[in-house]
Amino acid sequence: MKRLPKKYQESLKLIDKTKKYTVSEACELVKKTAKSTKWDETIDVSFKLNIDAKQADQQLRGTIVLPHGNGKTKKLLAVTDKVEEAKAAGADFVGGKEMLEKIEKENWFEFDVIVATPNMMPSFAKIGKVLGPRGLMPNPKSGTVAVDIASAIKEIKNGKITYRNDKDGNIAVSFGKASFDAQKLADNLNAIIDVIVKARPSAVKGTYILNCTISSTFGPSIRIAI
């Protein structure tokens, strides 16, 4: 059996596995379990939900604006004819159909998210099969298709994130860095929990959130009481 790293074992000793922690307690604790001296570890929250992901009316997808962002800088591609507006709002790359041709012909993916104006969406049909599996296809539900492209760009740059359940009914979201103070982590985590709770499908019976944990990149999970 593979031996656990020493720092991981040290982090495990800090956690009572029989306990569910409050949001505040967990955010204090997760900072202590992030022991890397080389990286500013990412802090993630994971939900196990009592949903049938095969049913369309039980699939969860949406956006959350985190009060303090999640510490990740996203490179953003704006596909629009409102070039100057997009540049002024902070888009890293801006253009029209030629940007989609660049993706198709050069396999260019030096960005993390695409935002587009509605009039450009027909041009995406040709490369939908390329962008879809990567989660890069613009979608009105995630706020990445917008007439007011400047506002959409600013929201994403200021901490707007997307969430979506997987085939097993799980949702995982990054909500901060180990360098964040515990209160900022707690504010972000509470914002996410609030959105997930409110997104409960009406078809779900019984317990909705089966389990909720947070963890740092290299640390063990900490159970949250909801």
Side-chain angles (χ1 to χ4, degrees):
M1 184 175 178
K2 188 176 180 180
R3 184 178 176 83
L4 294 172
K6 184 178 179 181
K7 288 184 178 180
Y8 188 90
Q9 292 184 56
E10 292 173 355
S11 294
L12 272 177
K13 294 177 182 178
L14 300 174
I15 301 170
D16 181 352
K17 284 294 184 180
T18 66
K19 178 179 178 180
K20 287 187 177 182
Y21 294 85
T22 66
V23 167
S24 296
E25 290 172 336
C27 289
E28 291 278 2
L29 185 53
V30 77
K31 286 177 59 64
K32 296 176 183 178
T33 65
K35 294 182 176 294
S36 174
T37 57
K38 295 182 179 180
W39 293 280
D40 186 6
E41 294 185 49
T42 296
I43 311 300
D44 299 318
V45 58
S46 298
F47 296 90
K48 175 64 177 176
L49 304 177
N50 178 29
I51 61 174
D52 183 352
K54 295 180 181 179
Q55 304 301 318
D57 63 348
Q58 294 188 46
Q59 293 177 10
L60 303 185
R61 180 177 184 176
T63 61
I64 306 168
V65 178
L66 297 178
H68 308 290
N70 65 359
K72 294 183 178 181
T73 302
K74 289 187 175 182
K75 286 191 175 182
L76 189 149
L77 165 63
V79 180
T80 178
D81 52 0
K82 300 179 180 179
V83 175
E84 294 308 316
E85 286 184 35
K87 287 181 178 178
D92 300 280
F93 308 101
V94 184
K97 296 178 182 179
E98 73 277 6
M99 304 306 290
L100 302 181
E101 292 173 359
K102 182 178 177 69
I103 293 171
E104 182 182 19
K105 295 177 180 179
E106 301 177 21
N107 197 35
W108 177 70
F109 288 99
E110 295 180 14
F111 52 86
D112 303 301
V113 60
I114 303 177
V115 176
T117 41
N119 64 316
M120 300 301 296
M121 288 310 295
S123 302
F124 281 83
K126 193 175 180 181
I127 61 170
K129 292 182 179 179
V130 176
L131 299 177
R134 293 172 178 261
L136 292 171
M137 192 68 175
N139 189 301
K141 290 184 178 180
S142 63
T144 49
V145 178
V147 174
D148 186 352
I149 196 161
S151 294
I153 292 169
K154 288 176 182 177
E155 283 186 347
I156 292 170
K157 286 290 188 177
N158 290 334
K160 186 176 184 178
I161 60 171
T162 60
Y163 67 89
R164 186 176 186 177
N165 65 268
D166 63 17
K167 62 182 180 65
D168 297 314
N170 304 308
I171 291 178
V173 178
S174 297
F175 69 97
K177 293 285 188 176
S179 58
F180 282 26
D181 64 50
Q183 186 57 56
K184 286 184 177 180
L185 289 175
D187 290 344
N188 282 352
L189 181 54
N190 277 321
I192 295 170
I193 291 173
D194 185 53
V195 168
I196 298 301
V197 168
K198 289 179 179 178
R200 175 179 178 141
S202 59
V204 172
K205 306 301 179 185
T207 303
Y208 168 48
I209 299 177
L210 301 176
N211 195 26
C212 177
T213 63
I214 67 171
S215 63
S216 60
T217 304
F218 304 112
S221 60
I222 301 167
R223 298 171 72 200
I224 305 292
I226 297 182

